[in-house]
């Protein structure tokens, strides 16, 4: 990610994440019950903005979130320490011996609880921003190590683009855009223009994996969790059926759901699918995006009182 540094702080645009392919292996006790994964990550152009500003020494952190679709993040009684960006701030402070005297402002555009790694990308943006704000000079390996302790998606969110993920998702191999594996992804129709169908409802990742252990994967699905997510959230199954009816490219549940992704390389496919999703009330929100993308530098908004 390329941060924009200003005298008052730093700002980053942080992309959402989708899994173009997700194979789920058995849970491992030595990984705290997490499952072995084999996946292809892609960053997509749905962007949260993370702004970081220093605060007076000893004043601690402050978290402010805004956006039209905050879900349970809008709860005034929510514990800010449970927010993944705050956890990233505290982890960075502990690892580097700094004090977490930082104001975090997050402008949410990525749907909450949607399988799009919105929380993880906010945390990754916080880590990258702090690395510059505090002039730490940490390398990618150091940041990846801290990120892996916070969540499986976080190391990828530090990098964006396309990556192969293994382990419990935290072991990354960035794909060379000109290499054979990236070319195979493109030839399968898994890059380019896409539609995300998002929902007000959320699915708990832990709930999906627990049900997956009983249900197992569906035959032919790009995402092993898709059968489980659709069983828990039938509107996702409807959205996928309509994508096939519209003649879209590959369509799949994003991560642990409930959001669905449909590749739409042609404008007429996108228009048809948007109409069908709306007519059948298959999704609550429709977001157009591109994949893969690289994070981008943004100007820092000048505000006061933080």
């Amino acid at each position: 990610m390329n941060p924009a540094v200003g005298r008052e702080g730093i700002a980053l645009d942080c992309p959402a994440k989708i899994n173009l392919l997700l194979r789920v292996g058995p849970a491992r006790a030595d990984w705290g019950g997490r499952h072995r994964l084999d996946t292809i990550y892609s960053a997509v152009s749905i962007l949260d903005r993370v702004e970081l500003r220093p605060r007076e020494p000893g004043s601690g952190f402050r978290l402010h979130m805004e956006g039209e679709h905050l879900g349970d993040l809008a709860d005034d009684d929510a514990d800010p320490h449970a927010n993944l960006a705050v956890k990233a701030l505290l982890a960075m402070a502990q690892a580097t011996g700094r004090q977490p005297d930082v104001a975090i402002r997050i402008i949410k555009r990525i749907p909450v609880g949607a399988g799009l790694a919105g929380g993880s990308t906010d945390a990754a943006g916080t880590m990258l921003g702090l690395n510059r704000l505090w002039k730490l000079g940490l390398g990618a390996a150091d940041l990846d190590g801290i990120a892996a302790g916070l969540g499986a998606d976080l190391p990828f969110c530090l990098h964006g683009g396309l990556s192969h993920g293994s382990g419990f998702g935290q072991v990354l191999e960035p794909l060379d855009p000109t290499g054979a594996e990236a070319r195979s992804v493109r030839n399968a129709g898994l890059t380019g223009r896409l539609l995300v169908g998002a929902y007000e409802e959320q699915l708990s990742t832990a709930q999906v994996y627990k049900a997956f252990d009983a249900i197992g994967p569906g035959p032919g699905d790009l995402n092993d969790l898709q059968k489980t997510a659709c069983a828990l959230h039938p509107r996702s199954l409807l959205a996928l059926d309509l994508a096939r009816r519209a003649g879209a490219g590959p369509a799949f549940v994003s991560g642990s759901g409930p959001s669905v992704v449909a590749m739409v390389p042609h404008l007429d496919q996108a228009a048809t699918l948007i109409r069908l999703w709306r007519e059948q009330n298959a999704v609550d929100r429709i977001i157009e995006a591109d994949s893969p993308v690289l994070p981008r530098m943004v100007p820092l908004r000048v505000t006061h009182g933080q």
Side-chain angles (χ1 to χ4, degrees):
M1 289 186 181
N2 292 318
V5 184
R7 288 183 301 174
E8 295 190 3
I10 190 167
L12 308 94
D13 264 357
C14 307
K17 176 270 322 175
I18 60 175
N19 299 77
L20 302 179
L21 177 74
L22 180 59
R23 297 291 174 242
V24 180
R28 290 182 44 165
D30 57 333
W31 288 351
R34 287 178 286 197
H35 291 68
R36 180 185 297 279
L37 302 180
D38 183 24
T39 187
I40 301 294
Y41 291 117
S42 180
V44 301
S45 61
I46 310 170
L47 305 167
D48 277 359
R49 181 161 299 177
V50 175
E51 301 177 355
L52 306 174
R53 292 177 175 84
R55 304 190 75 210
E56 291 296 321
S59 61
F61 73 85
R62 178 179 176 184
L63 174 67
H64 172 77
M65 306 189 71
E66 60 187 76
E68 295 181 1
H69 302 277
L70 291 177
D72 57 10
L73 298 179
D75 186 351
D76 292 335
D77 296 326
D79 179 6
H81 290 85
N83 185 280
L84 201 51
V86 172
K87 291 183 178 181
L89 166 62
L90 298 178
M92 287 285 285
Q94 182 176 19
T96 61
R98 300 295 296 257
Q99 294 300 312
D101 302 321
V102 175
I104 305 174
R105 175 195 293 265
I106 300 175
I107 298 105
K108 292 294 297 179
R109 303 186 184 98
I110 300 171
V112 175
L116 297 171
S120 293
T121 200
D122 295 343
T126 299
M127 291 179 61
L128 290 166
L130 291 172
N131 196 32
R132 293 287 294 271
L133 186 68
W134 289 344
K135 298 180 172 61
L136 298 173
L138 296 178
D142 295 319
L143 292 172
D144 285 346
I146 298 171
L150 296 170
D153 292 334
L154 251 158
F156 169 72
C157 292
L158 288 169
H159 302 280
L162 285 172
S163 282
H164 178 259
S166 57
F168 52 83
Q170 88 289 8
V171 180
L172 294 180
E173 298 175 46
L175 301 191
D176 178 354
T178 63
E181 193 166 7
R183 186 164 55 251
S184 176
V185 169
R186 289 194 298 271
N187 290 342
L190 290 168
T191 61
R193 196 67 174 164
L194 59 89
L195 295 177
V196 173
Y199 300 92
E200 297 299 330
E201 305 100 322
Q202 301 180 22
L203 284 180
S204 160
T205 300
Q207 176 192 19
V208 172
Y209 273 97
K210 182 178 180 180
F212 169 81
D213 288 337
I215 295 174
D221 289 343
L222 291 171
N223 179 357
D224 280 354
L225 297 177
Q226 181 167 300
K227 179 180 177 181
T228 303
C230 289
L232 295 171
H233 191 265
R235 290 177 73 201
S236 297
L237 178 60
L238 172 61
L240 293 174
D241 288 342
L242 292 174
R244 286 186 280 272
R245 187 188 306 178
F252 46 91
V253 167
S254 176
S256 57
S259 291
V260 297
V261 176
M263 308 307 298
V264 284
H266 305 296
L267 291 176
D268 58 338
Q269 295 170 340
T272 299
L273 183 53
I274 289 171
R275 176 178 57 79
L276 288 173
W277 276 353
R278 287 175 174 164
E279 287 178 351
Q280 299 294 321
N281 192 31
V283 301
D284 294 326
R285 297 173 60 199
I286 301 172
I287 308 170
E288 300 183 60
D290 292 292
S291 168
V293 299
L294 296 177
R296 66 190 185 196
M297 181 167 53
V298 295
L300 184 69
R301 298 194 304 176
V302 177
T303 61
H304 301 283
Q306 294 197 59

